[in-house]
Amino acid sequence: MMLDSNADAKPEVRSARFALARELNHMGARVRIATVPPLDGVNGPDDLIAVGGDEAISSVLELAQPSPEVITAEVEAAIGEILAAKPNIGAEHMRRALDAVADVSDHIDRTMLEGRIAAAVRGVVPKDTIVREVSARRQEREARQQDFSSRNREAELRAVPVDAARLIEEIETFFADRAHLPEGAARVLSYFALNTWTFKLFDTVPYLSLESAVPGCGKSTVIRLLDALSCRSRKASSLSEAVMFRLIDAEGPTLLVDEAETIDGRSERAEALRAIAHEGYKQGGQVPRCQGEEHDVRWFDVYCPKTFAAIGGLTGALLDRCLVIHMEKAPKGSVRKSTRHRALHRDRQELVVQLEAYALQSSDALRRLYEAEPDCGYWPSITDREAELWGPLLIHARLAGPDCEAKLIAVVDKFSEEEAEIKSADSKIAKTIALLDAISTHPDTTFTPGDVVPTLAQSEAWGRTLAEVKGRNDDSVRISQAAKVGYFLRNFRLRGKKNGTGHMAYESAAAIACLSAHVPQNFPKSPKPPKPPSQNHCVIQLPGNNASLVGPETKEGFGCQSPESGDANPEPSDGQGLDLLNSARVAVAVLTNDEDDRTNSVMMEGEI
Amino acid sequence: MNLTPVDLQKFEVLGIGSELLEQACVERVTDGEARREYGVTLAGDMSGIVFPYFSPMDGLRRTCRLRRDHPEIERGKPRKKYVVAYGDRRHLYFVPGCAELVNDHSVPVVLVEAEKSALALVAGLNASSRSCFLSQWADVLDGGDASASRRAPTANGWTKQARCPILLSAVIEM
């Protein structure tokens, strides 16, 4: 019996169905009730065929259940058949009885009927087997129902009209109306929320860092807003390592971690959480853990979008994987929309349906667009980690249209600059920049860690570290301070040589080139280093033949671009280059653009 | 068959092709034809699409139901959209081609609420989906031994004993 979807809502239809089912059952028919799902625009089976096709109607028939009014009678009949067939009970008898019992929804009724079947087949089939078989049938049925529900939902969502550009604007307004955000942040949040619904299409997923200097700047509010719009969002302020990787593996949620200051700590737990977060921003990111009594190694998938809200923000590698929104207190008297639970629940409904529909309808187009991206990227100016983080969001923008793309690119530029500034405050990066500065100002072509200690001691990044060094006397303090710098330099795998005094000496040019590659690009306050030999003209025509010497390739990053390539600081630096050039130990001769250096260039050619 | 292209398109959306409609003798009637040919003599414009009801036993037309093009509107909702001949009672609607199946006790019967649903169900269950459908339903129905207790329900039995106002059926061949 497959009546219209409103059958349950109409008492007279319900009672008529019951009467008919009872009558048919009395006649010996086996009655099943097939329920047409109450979808938009669907009343009868004909409407369901129009919306969901033949497959939908087949699913409805497959999931037909016995009428509750007659189910007990069916089980009784099945038990009667078993008793009549005894002792020659066939598999068919058992199958029918088990199917009938599995259809009983009430747990107590079901348990009693299982007992009755067990009594009927005592000595032939153990009761455990009956219970297990009934349970397996119910699970299978539930899985089929779940599958059917999701297919129905999919059919519904495919019919929802979605305008991606408008949706992005609406989400942006949703955030902007409810939280005090810096310029461009609402747009970033909009794309982030959008991407949570489709992140599995991409190789990377950006994290979000909500940071503020003091409490009360609205980080938790933004977390609540993201919770309302993100896909399978999970909000947590206290996470253990096990909860984190098991939750991500099981659900692939959007993880919203409030009060994330602890993650940036030095505890074992913080390190474990960080390790998972570091791994989980790339598709296929997994962590191994032992599981079960046999200690089997299992790999847990940890790839998912994550948001961290912390006073003071994040540092290190985790910061590097985040889009950073620096929040400030809202001005007094500013009025925003309510973020209470009920208000959010009400306002989010339509947007979530749109987001779901967008994810379903646009996934193929997004995948094609992503796969067709050239090696240099659709946006060549956005490279490396930035490309990994912003790429997925820009793909959404590109799909939404050129206007959306242009607006997001403007936001990317602004955020990249701000993020570079934030990263520069990170202690290791700040120390690297200070060290770079110190090496640049060092007059010789080689330096020992001890040579740069006096300069570093004046810097903010190193001052405290070096001041805390203790020793028996000044000499031992100086040695310890130099050791600190030496240990730090080891991170960069620089090759040094012991000089005449037995100290490790490094080549300045090589050190500058190496360290430059480790500080953020577009760093707005970076010191102006001397141009290393390779950064000016790289090719010298040797007199007498047509051979040329080619210098090392220009490295990206801190001050290494040639003026022609659009260097932010094209002016020549403070003459350090000349010292390098005059040295016989510089491997490759260099010509500069500056008039004053031309003579030196000639000299160099002569020397060569 | 005199259905208009618009009618055909509406049926096509439900998966009901013109061939099936022709077999079911679904046709468009004017107000005069409805009154003259089908005995639908209620007040108002009776033009619309008629679904004739044929007996699977003798193939004769028993009655019909008419879907009116211009039903009266009451409080924004159409009233008397589907009508039957004056004084008629309810009948079962059997889809075309089920005559030889009604006496086969192993054939599953699907009861739906409207002629369109019955036709759509028959049309929609194409070869592949039908086999899928039947594989699931075989479990339910393979116990259909022709014992005395499994009498085939009759239209009269249903209508009289169940007092159910919604008796329209589609019969699906196994």
Side-chain angles (χ1 to χ4, degrees):
Chain A
M1 293 169 62
M2 182 159 44
L3 306 189
D4 290 352
S5 60
N6 58 7
D8 284 334
K10 292 184 174 177
E12 71 276 15
V13 178
R14 223 170 37 229
S15 64
R17 186 174 65 185
F18 167 60
L20 181 57
R22 191 179 53 187
E23 181 60 27
L24 293 173
N25 191 251
H26 178 69
M27 289 174 168
R30 304 186 68 195
V31 183
R32 294 287 181 277
I33 307 292
T35 308
V36 175
L39 306 175
D40 259 0
V42 172
N43 186 34
D46 50 339
D47 301 323
L48 184 63
I49 289 175
V51 171
D54 299 349
E55 200 185 339
I57 207 75
S58 294
S59 299
V60 167
L61 290 168
E62 283 170 28
L63 293 169
Q65 297 277 330
S67 165
E69 294 85 6
V70 298
I71 181 64
T72 312
E74 270 199 26
V75 180
E76 297 286 354
I79 293 172
E81 284 177 17
I82 289 173
L83 290 172
K86 219 169 178 179
N88 301 317
I89 302 168
E92 188 52 42
H93 293 116
M94 283 305 299
R95 196 158 64 91
R96 193 171 303 165
L98 293 170
D99 282 343
V101 175
D103 287 331
V104 177
S105 54
D106 185 81
H107 177 68
I108 295 173
D109 285 350
R110 203 167 54 245
T111 308
M112 287 173 64
L113 290 169
E114 282 169 354
R116 290 198 54 201
I117 295 177
V121 296
R122 183 167 294 144
V124 182
V125 182
K127 188 176 178 183
D128 284 354
T129 307
I130 291 169
V131 172
R132 198 171 54 243
E133 284 292 319
V134 169
S135 172
R137 278 167 166 75
R138 285 191 66 77
Q139 279 176 10
E140 186 196 342
R141 219 159 283 183
E142 277 165 18
R144 281 216 308 265
Q145 272 173 344
Q146 185 71 34
D147 180 49
F148 178 57
S149 302
S150 58
R151 272 187 284 159
N152 281 337
R153 181 70 180 149
E154 190 177 321
E156 249 186 333
L157 291 172
R158 287 209 181 274
V160 174
V162 180
D163 178 350
R166 195 174 154 197
L167 175 61
I168 290 162
E169 294 287 342
E170 283 176 1
I171 302 172
E172 189 178 342
T173 309
F174 178 86
F175 284 106
D177 286 351
R178 289 167 178 80
H180 176 67
L181 296 164
E183 190 190 337
R187 188 159 288 266
V188 174
L189 289 168
S190 169
Y191 280 98
F192 181 86
L194 193 71
N195 190 52
T196 61
W197 294 85
T198 58
F199 72 95
K200 288 184 178 168
L201 298 174
F202 306 111
D203 289 343
T204 53
V205 60
Y207 294 167
L208 201 58
S209 168
L210 304 170
E211 60 164 51
S212 69
V214 291
C217 293
K219 298 184 299 301
S220 298
T221 303
V222 174
I223 289 274
R224 267 209 306 282
L225 298 178
L226 283 169
D227 186 35
L229 294 188
S230 300
C231 181
R232 296 185 296 276
S233 59
R234 288 286 185 178
K235 191 154 66 80
S237 56
S238 171
L239 271 177
S240 73
E241 175 200 0
V243 167
M244 190 172 181
F245 67 72
R246 284 182 190 278
L247 180 69
I248 298 172
D249 184 71
E251 297 181 10
T254 302
L255 200 58
L256 307 169
V257 186
D258 204 357
E259 318 293 346
E261 293 85 358
T262 49
I263 284 188
D264 216 31
R266 289 186 170 190
S267 66
E268 197 176 328
R269 184 185 187 182
E271 280 177 14
L273 289 171
R274 275 204 304 276
I276 295 169
H278 291 168
E279 191 63 31
Y281 94 109
K282 277 197 174 178
Q283 182 83 260
Q286 292 182 321
V287 292
R289 292 292 185 274
C290 289
Q291 177 169 275
E293 290 181 1
E294 300 297 321
H295 298 289
D296 299 323
V297 175
R298 188 186 152 192
W299 292 84
F300 289 85
D301 199 345
V302 290
Y303 176 63
C304 78
K306 303 175 186 71
T307 296
F308 303 96
I311 294 172
L314 303 170
T315 57
L318 190 52
L319 174 67
D320 202 34
R321 286 153 171 76
C322 289
L323 308 177
V324 183
I325 296 179
H326 183 80
M327 302 189 64
E328 292 173 359
K329 274 188 181 291
K332 275 190 180 176
S334 61
V335 179
R336 290 179 301 281
K337 283 192 178 175
S338 170
T339 56
R340 282 180 300 182
H341 180 71
R342 284 189 185 183
L344 277 184
H345 184 71
R346 181 193 61 218
D347 297 342
R348 72 186 277 269
Q349 300 284 356
E350 200 179 328
L351 284 174
V352 168
V353 171
Q354 287 272 312
L355 281 164
E356 277 186 82
Y358 169 82
L360 191 69
Q361 294 174 21
S362 306
S363 58
D364 286 342
L366 286 168
R367 191 181 290 114
R368 280 198 299 274
L369 198 57
Y370 190 57
E371 284 171 2
E373 187 173 14
D375 289 340
C376 61
Y378 289 123
W379 310 274
S381 62
I382 302 168
T383 56
D384 301 331
R385 184 56 58 84
E386 277 195 335
E388 287 181 349
L389 298 184
W390 290 101
L393 309 191
L394 283 162
I395 293 281
H396 287 286
R398 197 176 183 89
L399 190 70
D403 188 39
C404 288
E405 191 178 353
K407 282 181 183 173
L408 185 59
I409 286 175
V411 172
V412 172
D413 289 343
K414 178 177 176 294
F415 269 69
S416 296
E417 198 171 303
E418 285 175 5
E419 194 166 338
E421 197 169 341
I422 290 165
K423 282 177 185 171
S424 70
D426 186 42
S427 68
K428 281 187 179 171
I429 294 173
K431 280 182 175 177
T432 308
I433 292 169
L435 187 56
L436 198 54
D437 201 20
I439 297 167
S440 305
T441 54
H442 185 64
D444 294 337
T445 56
T446 60
F447 71 96
T448 64
D451 293 339
V452 291
V453 164
T455 314
L456 291 178
Q458 306 298 318
S459 70
E460 193 179 341
W462 283 92
R464 189 172 169 187
T465 308
L466 296 177
E468 282 175 350
V469 172
K470 291 175 182 172
R472 289 192 305 274
N473 49 40
D474 287 351
D475 281 346
S476 66
V477 168
R478 271 199 299 275
I479 289 167
S480 298
Q481 286 175 333
K484 284 255 180 200
V485 178
Y487 283 131
F488 188 77
L489 277 168
R490 275 191 193 177
N491 294 325
F492 299 93
R493 303 275 181 239
L494 281 173
R495 287 184 182 177
K497 279 184 182 175
K498 287 199 173 177
N499 60 13
T501 58
H503 296 127
M504 192 64 81
Y506 302 93
E507 288 207 2
S508 299
I512 288 169
C514 178
L515 267 59
S516 297
H518 286 79
V519 296
Q521 295 177 42
N522 309 320
F523 173 53
K525 293 177 183 174
S526 56
K528 290 178 184 174
K531 290 180 182 174
S534 60
Q535 74 187 97
N536 299 320
H537 290 174
C538 297
V539 180
I540 297 172
Q541 289 294 328
L542 296 176
N545 61 29
N546 291 327
S548 60
L549 287 178
V550 180
E553 284 183 15
T554 302
K555 295 218 176 216
E556 285 184 4
F558 188 95
C560 288
Q561 287 175 298
S562 66
E564 292 81 7
S565 64
D567 188 357
N569 304 310
E571 69 272 20
S573 57
D574 40 60
Q576 300 288 331
L578 283 179
D579 295 327
L580 297 174
L581 290 175
N582 288 331
S583 167
R585 294 164 72 177
V586 175
V588 181
V590 174
L591 287 170
T592 72
N593 284 331
D594 305 316
E595 287 295 325
D596 296 341
D597 293 342
R598 291 271 162 82
T599 50
N600 294 295
S601 309
V602 174
M603 283 170 60
M604 290 296 293
E605 284 178 11
E607 284 176 16
I608 290 167
Chain B
M1 190 171 58
N2 60 357
L3 294 175
T4 65
V6 176
D7 296 334
L8 290 172
Q9 196 185 353
K10 284 180 181 171
F11 280 112
E12 193 61 44
V13 169
L14 306 176
I16 306 169
S18 58
E19 196 181 338
L20 183 59
L21 290 169
E22 204 156 353
Q23 287 171 8
C25 297
V26 177
E27 64 174 347
R28 174 163 280 285
V29 292
T30 62
D31 180 60
E33 286 168 342
R35 292 171 191 279
R36 199 170 49 250
E37 302 289 329
Y38 292 97
V40 184
T41 56
L42 302 178
D45 183 357
M46 292 295 129
S47 62
I49 296 172
V50 73
F51 295 87
Y53 281 46
F54 293 97
S55 165
M57 304 302 174
D58 53 22
L60 297 176
R61 196 182 80 202
R62 287 286 186 272
T63 183
C64 75
R65 223 154 66 109
L66 175 71
R67 184 189 186 278
R68 296 169 65 194
D69 288 340
H70 308 290
E72 289 78 25
I73 303 295
E74 200 172 87
R75 293 176 194 163
K77 288 184 176 177
R79 189 170 160 272
K80 291 187 179 174
K81 191 174 174 184
Y82 283 88
V83 291
V84 296
Y86 178 76
D88 197 8
R89 57 184 176 79
R90 299 184 191 283
H91 297 262
L92 285 172
Y93 177 78
F94 291 91
V95 292
C98 69
E100 67 274 24
L101 303 173
V102 289
N103 283 325
D104 184 348
H105 294 183
S106 65
V107 172
V109 178
V110 180
L111 295 171
V112 293
E113 283 193 58
E115 300 86 356
K116 274 197 298 180
S117 296
L119 292 171
L121 205 57
V122 170
L125 293 172
N126 56 30
S128 59
S129 61
R130 186 182 296 186
S131 64
C132 164
F133 156 64
L134 291 175
S135 68
Q136 296 294 330
W137 275 62
D139 291 347
V140 178
L141 299 155
D142 60 2
D145 56 345
S147 65
S149 65
R150 288 183 65 85
R151 287 175 288 129
T154 62
N156 281 340
W158 285 346
T159 49
K160 281 181 184 170
Q161 294 174 35
R163 298 184 301 280
C164 181
I166 42 169
L167 288 175
L168 298 160
S169 75
V171 179
I172 314 297
E173 186 181 1
M174 263 187 105

